[in-house]
Amino acid sequence: MKEVYLRQLANELEDLQVSTSPTGRRSYSVEDMHKIRKHLDQVGRGNRRYLPHRRDDEALQIISVMNFKGGSGKTTTAAHLAQYLALRGYRVLAIDLDPQASLSTLFGNQPETDVGVNETLYGAIRYDDARPMGEIVRATYIPDLHLIPGNLELMEFEHDTPRALMKRKVGDTMFFHRISEVLDQVAPNYDVVVIDCPPQLGYLTLSALTAATSVLITVHPQMLDVMSMNQFLSMTSDLLREISSHGALRLQLDALSRDAF
Ligand SMILES: Nc1ncnc2c1ncn2[C@@H]1O[C@H](COP(=O)(O)OP(=O)(O)O)[C@@H](O)[C@H]1O
Ligand SMILES: [Mg+2]
């Protein structure tokens, strides 16, 4: 967008907080840009969509970032992807599914002090006394980018699941459907969900995989890392085969089209 056009738009909107440097250079905050996008979308200038919210016939996109190797760039990718999409006008929910909670830290939420009991996704997917998702989602400093933070309590899901499988009753939601089920509660509020998975193929990761419409696997371009990714893929497909034979799994991966974002 041209500087002159931005200036003209900023004049049309009253409640912007544009700061001007001594040399006359204007800086727009992320909130200002969001308000300008909203304004342009409402007045409908040109054919462009400035707030590319999904239409009724478009599915919520759930992108799970995974690999069982730590340090392969999952959290960095998830954080940048979520922020980039939100800055482009999408309504984004970022979920930290890693008990180490690096994504939460990047968003300014200290897992030990700022995230209390049942304030991670565990609170919503636990097998007893689950909370509604609406109570867990937090705002971030970017409008329309929300966060469900993580901390060590997420590990409880790995411990609870074998017990829940033993005591399973007809009608209980199996572990691999628990994330997609709770995402349904908040789906109308978002266009994209980005899930930062833990560096292991546990129940949390399998549930995120089942919920996903796209999977992003981060890998260092080095021989040993690529070989380890092959193992990850073959283990994943074995596990998914096992899950689908037990629970009528319907994994639907939509390819992201090049110009989708
Ligand atoms: N694309 C990249 N290029 C270079 N360094 C990266 C890239 N992505 C991540 N890193 C660095 O690699 C390290 C591990 O990244 P991280 O996202 O925490 O991995 P993971 O979540 O898989 O454990 C961090 O120090 C991060 O800054
Ligand atoms: Mg990480």
Side-chain angles (χ1 to χ4, degrees):
M1 205 180 286
K2 288 226 170 69
E3 172 85 32
V4 182
Y5 186 38
L6 253 185
R7 194 177 290 216
Q8 180 196 330
L9 285 167
N11 290 338
E12 288 173 24
L13 290 163
E14 281 162 11
D15 55 345
L16 298 189
Q17 281 153 8
V18 185
S19 61
T20 312
S21 75
T23 54
R25 192 174 174 81
R26 290 169 157 230
S27 300
Y28 299 86
S29 70
V30 66
E31 286 90 0
D32 290 339
M33 291 309 293
H34 191 71
K35 281 177 192 157
I36 292 173
R37 274 184 186 281
K38 230 175 171 170
H39 172 68
L40 279 171
D41 221 50
Q42 275 162 5
V43 296
R45 233 165 264 177
N47 294 325
R48 279 189 61 182
R49 288 170 71 197
Y50 291 89
L51 280 180
H53 296 173
R54 68 191 168 101
R55 296 184 300 257
D56 288 344
D57 60 340
E58 291 174 326
L60 174 72
Q61 289 300 308
I62 302 168
I63 305 172
S64 293
V65 187
M66 53 180 63
N67 192 337
F68 67 1
K69 236 185 156 76
S72 61
K74 292 183 292 298
T75 302
T76 313
T77 304
H80 284 275
L81 182 63
Q83 292 177 354
Y84 169 80
L85 292 174
L87 292 176
R88 294 295 296 259
Y90 292 92
R91 298 163 303 165
V92 183
L93 174 62
I95 301 181
D96 194 348
L97 207 57
D98 186 351
Q100 293 172 55
S102 307
L103 185 76
S104 312
T105 312
L106 286 182
F107 278 90
N109 289 250
Q110 287 303 326
E112 302 87 5
T113 49
D114 301 335
V115 185
V117 178
N118 288 322
E119 289 181 357
T120 71
L121 193 71
Y122 176 70
I125 61 174
R126 55 184 295 163
Y127 294 90
D128 54 359
D129 302 325
R131 299 176 71 189
M133 284 284 274
E135 292 180 10
I136 298 175
V137 171
R138 303 182 176 202
T140 68
Y141 47 83
I142 297 180
D144 278 353
L145 173 54
H146 294 164
L147 172 73
I148 296 185
N151 71 11
L152 281 175
E153 88 172 356
L154 282 163
M155 280 304 292
E156 299 292 323
F157 190 69
E158 303 293 341
H159 302 144
D160 293 353
T161 299
R163 256 191 313 245
L165 284 171
M166 303 266 285
K167 292 193 294 190
R168 192 170 143 238
K169 296 187 295 291
V170 180
D172 286 353
T173 305
M174 294 280 276
F175 70 89
F176 48 85
H177 275 146
R178 294 193 86 81
I179 293 184
S180 54
E181 193 178 76
V182 294
L183 284 179
D184 284 347
Q185 293 174 23
V186 289
N189 306 339
Y190 300 104
D191 303 304
V192 188
V193 177
V194 178
I195 308 180
D196 183 26
C197 293
Q200 64 192 49
L201 245 184
Y203 298 116
L204 285 168
T205 305
L206 285 171
S207 192
L209 186 60
T210 310
T213 57
S214 301
V215 175
L216 257 179
I217 299 173
T218 51
V219 62
H220 282 212
Q222 283 165 0
M223 188 182 73
L224 293 178
D225 294 274
V226 173
M227 284 171 71
S228 134
M229 183 193 69
N230 276 345
Q231 286 171 353
F232 173 76
L233 290 175
S234 99
M235 265 171 69
T236 308
S237 64
D238 286 351
L239 282 165
L240 284 180
R241 205 168 301 123
E242 192 66 21
I243 287 178
S244 64
S245 70
H246 282 85
L249 173 71
R250 200 168 50 89
L251 185 64
Q252 264 191 332
L253 292 181
D254 302 343
L256 281 183
S257 81
R258 195 162 47 88
D259 48 345
F261 299 124

